[in-house]
């Protein structure tokens, strides 16, 4: 790396620490980055000069002694627009540097067929409102979006959205065009982004190896190995939901196969196991089963246990393959997991090699319904964190 590259890397790394830490002292930055104090101070000065961070006394500091200044993100000034397209809802938010959701808009998404036009129309309208109402001296440094389907890296083309019938829909390009704020839209798969969010700000903060399972109509996944999201050769990896767990008499899956994990543990599988009619669907219907189980309804309890066994088989395979430090259950699985945990644990005990399971922890998502939105915001911040001063010069001009 040349001098300039090293400096850009250090500026980005420091901003990342402040963005994720919220408020970090000079001393901690010096320790974490293993640079000397004067280099750290020069980097802080550069970022402060660009309006990305500020230094201040920690709250509650009295006059006595010489307290160490803390570095904070300029959350009131720097933000991204984040979008979340789930099966049943559309969310848009302004997310500040530092990760706080400042303002949000939300709409219900009907379960219709391919609806690119409506989805983009609603999100672009929300996005323009959020952009217009942002403080005058603030700057939008990126746009990130989460979509419940398989996304082509680079241009945000939805290659395959099995639950809504989307095939090769130019979602990212179309949203960018209709937003009309001169910024491209980075799009990621919802479960990939959920994994990223949980690793940066949620249940798996700081872990280098974790697996995130996201339940919606189906089941998506994100696998983080050595601190990096596993993407595959074309960016379509981590389709944990289509791991075959029941090939002989498995339920039909939306992908055309049979016995996929999501066919056995997805929304329909739970509702069928609980004896709910075909007309009942959606997150409320899933919640109703979970609530009934909590109240002691044996049919609902048995349905969750049945799902838990299949879920456990999937998780056991993943533990043997990846030896994760944590498996996190998000989306509707967050609600289903507690009633299914005993079966999942039993499968892990029975099917995972002892040395591969001795440290794995099982948790529900700490970010809840916002995991995918938070992940989209992190995607929106990624260019800024790679080259803070360069991106700011481009977006502010
Ligand atoms: Zn499938």
């Amino acid at each position: 790396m040349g001098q300039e590259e090293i400096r850009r890397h250090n500026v980005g790394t420091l901003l990342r620490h402040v963005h994720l830490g919220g408020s970090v002292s000079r001393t901690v930055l010096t320790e974490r980055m293993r640079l000397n104090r004067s280099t750290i101070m020069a980097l802080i000065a550069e970022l402060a000069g660009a309006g990305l961070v500020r230094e201040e006394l920690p709250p509650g500091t009295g006059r006595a002694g010489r307290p160490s200044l803390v570095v904070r993100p300029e959350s009131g000034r720097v933000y991204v627009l984040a979008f979340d397209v789930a099966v049943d809802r559309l969310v848009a938010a302004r997310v500040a540097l530092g990760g706080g959701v400042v303002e949000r808009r939300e709409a219900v998404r009907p379960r219709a067929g391919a609806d690119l036009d409506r989805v983009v129309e609603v999100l672009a309208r929300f996005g323009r409102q959020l952009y217009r109402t942002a403080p005058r001296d603030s700057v939008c440094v990126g746009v990130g979006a989460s979509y419940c389907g398989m996304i082509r890296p680079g241009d945000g083309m939805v290659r395959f959205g099995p639950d809504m019938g989307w095939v090769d829909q130019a979602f990212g390009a179309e949203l960018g065009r209709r937003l009309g704020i001169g910024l491209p839209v980075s799009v990621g798969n919802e479960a990939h982004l959920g994994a990223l969010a949980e690793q940066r700000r949620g249940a798996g903060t700081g872990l280098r190896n974790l697996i995130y399972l996201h339940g919606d109509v189906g089941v998506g996944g994100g696998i983080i190995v050595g601190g990096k999201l596993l993407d595959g050769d074309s960016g379509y990896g981590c389709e944990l939901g289509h791991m075959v767990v029941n090939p002989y008499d498995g339920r039909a899956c939306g992908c055309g196969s049979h016995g996929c994990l999501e066919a056995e543990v997805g929304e329909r599988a739970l509702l069928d196991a609980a004896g709910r009619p075909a007309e009942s669907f959606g997150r409320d219907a899933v919640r109703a089963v979970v609530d009934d189980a909590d109240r002691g309804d044996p049919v609902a309890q048995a349905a969750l246990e049945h799902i838990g066994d299949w879920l456990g088989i999937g998780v056991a395979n993943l533990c043997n393959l990846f030896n994760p430090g944590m498996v996190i259950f998000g989306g509707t699985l967050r609600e289903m997991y507690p009633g299914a945990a005993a079966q999942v644990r039993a499968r892990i005990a029975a099917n995972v090699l002892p040395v591969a399971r001795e440290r794995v922890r099982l948790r529900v998502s700490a970010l809840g319904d916002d995991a995918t939105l938070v992940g989209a915001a992190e995607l929106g911040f990624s260019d800024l964190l790679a080259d803070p001063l360069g991106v700011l010069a481009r977006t502010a001009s």
Side-chain angles (χ1 to χ4, degrees), residues 346-396:
R347 275 294 173 186
I348 289 177
N351 300 128
V352 180
L353 296 165
V355 292
R357 69 171 188 249
E358 55 194 12
R359 288 181 56 186
V360 66
R361 285 171 285 169
L362 306 173
R363 294 282 186 277
V364 293
S365 155
L367 300 167
D369 283 346
D370 273 350
T372 47
L373 184 73
V374 170
E378 291 303 317
L379 188 62
F381 277 116
S382 52
D383 282 353
L384 180 79
L385 298 177
D387 179 15
L389 305 175
V391 166
L392 207 63
R394 280 204 296 282
T395 48

Side-chain angles (χ1 to χ4, degrees), residues 241-242 253-257 260 262:
H242 300 287
C253 182
C255 74
S257 180
C260 296
E262 78 165 41

Side-chain angles (χ1 to χ4, degrees), residues 234-256:
S234 335
Y236 307 129
C238 304
E239 283 293 333
L240 310 185
H242 300 287
M243 173 170 54
V244 177
V245 292
N246 185 13
Y248 296 109
D249 56 355
R251 296 168 56 92
C253 182
C255 74

